[in-house]
Amino acid sequence: MRETDETSGSLFSYVDLEARIPARHPLRKVRQVV
């Protein structure tokens, strides 16, 4: 049998992308146009 892998959770980032992009960043305007 395989053991449970407890280290795999650290491989993923659960941070909200909206929180990572500053409010005045140019990508925000691009998103509105698209």
Side-chain angles (χ1 to χ4, degrees):
M1 297 265 172
R2 268 185 76 172
E3 290 181 31
T4 58
D5 186 12
E6 307 216 355
T7 60
S8 65
S10 64
L11 295 175
F12 301 100
S13 175
Y14 297 104
V15 177
D16 184 22
L17 291 178
E18 294 292 324
R20 288 184 158 233
I21 301 173
R24 297 182 52 89
H25 196 278
L27 283 177
R28 297 235 181 230
K29 290 188 180 190
V30 170
R31 184 175 181 184
Q32 289 174 355
V33 172
V34 173

